[in-house]
Amino acid sequence: MSGRITMLKILRVALLLPLLSLGACSVNEVITAEESELIVAADAKDEALLLDVGIIEFDAGVPEDNDPERSRVYDDIRNAESRYLAYHLKSTMQGTGHWGAVRVLPSENAFTDVIVNGRIEKSDGEFVDIRIDVSDTSGQHWYTKNYEMQTGISSYSESRDRRLDPYQKVFNDIANDLHAFSETLPQEFFRRLQQISELKFFADMSPLAYGEHLSEDEDGLITINRLPAENDPAVDRLRQIRERDRLVVDMLNEHYANFYYGIAIPYNAYRKAAREEAVNYRQVRRSAALQTLMGVVVLAGSLSVDTGDSSYSRRRMKQSLQGIGITEGFGAIMKGITRKNEASIHVEAIKELAESFGSEAAPMVVNVEGQARRLTGTAAAQYEAWRKLLRDLYQSETGFSQAVDVGAPQRAAELASSP
């Protein structure tokens, strides 16, 4: 009976040995990314009823206690993405024909009709998850929703439509949902939002004259108390100032455009490489775990084989199989450890790419009244300084008689190399 049990163990070991080589192999994942069609206006709409949209720079979503070694979330990448992804959403929405001006804003202080806030929950080239929060200038909350997708093997193909981002489904879904929600609102509500945006700007420029035209309840909802007279010369003057403010915001968007197109190549290269590394990392870990487990099973089975036998030939066969099993078992375990080390090398490669990307995503500058101002993380503060300048001009004796010269923004590298 014991001889039969021993032979069964030998057969199990012999059968497992060929499987060790299979443990080293991994099946390549073939994933086809989901798609959604962008809803575009079939006919031109009345421009007077088109709401302006402000997309705030996305929250990068980097935790305070973030450890890039473990999370594979890199500050440089996320900070760049917060602007890049916001601008791509702007481009997607602007092309639908459902909205007025769609702008990326450094802060919510640039008064506009609809405000879109976003937070990057996940973005590693393979998976993306963005939380979108939408409200309007009256303080009414529209909705909060997470948009996510998994990119596919062709998402970064050289032959793809370069106008479409690898994350395009997410942007199409956001644009479609925004349009669908706006379709539920009455047209008179659109006009009221436009009036509130304008009165907010007037009150910011001249609180004493227009501060009481609006009221806010305890829930933060804003209503109109009264409208200024259309024949009031101050109204026409303030509208001219607001047009210049919009000009500066448009110039800021030229900055975002420069940033967007300037980093597009390295950013997409990073995402493509990061996706490949993530897939490789997952496959290596799966393969290493399987290989290590099988190595342990074979090693344990080999060590438990009773090599004693009255027959010399059978004893030699048992000893030979045990030796092979022990060797293969140890080898499989060591290969599993080696493949886990390979996985850590993939993570290191992602880190190096992120550092390289951070150095390529150079800051830019915008020229305002002949002065070059850097527009990096302090864009909101710079815009606040501009708003203060507007208020000072409005309140000065000369008023707003001089044109504001806003030069086209340049990349910082271009500025440094110019004579």
Side-chain angles (χ1 to χ4, degrees), residues 252-294:
L252 287 178
N253 273 254
E254 288 299 315
H255 156 76
Y256 286 114
N258 282 349
F259 183 85
Y260 173 85
Y261 291 110
I263 71 167
I265 293 177
Y267 176 51
N268 283 325
Y270 165 78
R271 284 193 291 181
K272 179 181 180 181
R275 181 189 181 277
E276 291 173 354
E277 295 293 342
V279 172
N280 290 340
Y281 178 75
R282 187 165 58 248
Q283 290 177 336
V284 165
R285 288 200 63 182
R286 185 164 56 234
S287 175
L290 176 61
Q291 193 169 36
T292 303
L293 176 61
M294 291 182 67

Side-chain angles (χ1 to χ4, degrees), residues 133-288:
D133 185 89
V134 186
S135 58
D136 60 46
T137 190
S138 73
Q140 177 174 313
H141 181 256
W142 287 19
Y143 66 86
T144 299
K145 184 176 178 180
N146 278 63
Y147 296 85
E148 54 188 311
M149 69 166 290
Q150 181 179 11
T151 60
I153 193 170
S154 62
S155 298
Y156 299 95
S157 169
E158 294 295 326
S159 60
R160 76 181 194 280
D161 186 345
R162 297 303 183 87
R163 294 170 299 178
L164 303 180
D165 191 86
Y167 298 162
Q168 191 62 48
K169 179 185 184 301
V170 163
F171 299 110
N172 289 355
D173 289 345
I174 296 171
N176 291 344
D177 284 354
L178 272 164
H179 169 61
F181 188 93
S182 69
E183 289 288 282
T184 66
L185 303 174
Q187 289 190 346
E188 57 267 23
F189 183 71
F190 285 21
R191 181 56 188 153
R192 187 159 76 250
L193 289 181
Q194 293 169 337
Q195 291 170 336
I196 291 174
S197 294
E198 183 176 74
L199 287 172
K200 277 185 168 182
F201 183 87
F202 289 1
D204 186 60
M205 290 293 105
S206 182
L208 291 177
Y210 298 97
E212 295 184 356
H213 281 61
L214 298 172
S215 61
E216 182 176 348
D217 65 17
E218 59 184 11
D219 295 323
L221 296 177
I222 295 174
T223 56
I224 299 173
N225 294 328
R226 62 180 181 275
L227 295 171
E230 283 295 324
N231 59 358
D232 185 348
V235 170
D236 183 62
R237 185 167 167 235
L238 281 167
R239 284 175 177 163
Q240 291 181 37
I241 295 175
R242 193 181 184 202
E243 284 305 309
R244 286 168 171 81
D245 180 62
R246 286 169 168 167
L247 173 64
V248 169
V249 175
D250 287 339
M251 289 300 102
L252 287 178
N253 273 254
E254 288 299 315
H255 156 76
Y256 286 114
N258 282 349
F259 183 85
Y260 173 85
Y261 291 110
I263 71 167
I265 293 177
Y267 176 51
N268 283 325
Y270 165 78
R271 284 193 291 181
K272 179 181 180 181
R275 181 189 181 277
E276 291 173 354
E277 295 293 342
V279 172
N280 290 340
Y281 178 75
R282 187 165 58 248
Q283 290 177 336
V284 165
R285 288 200 63 182
R286 185 164 56 234
S287 175

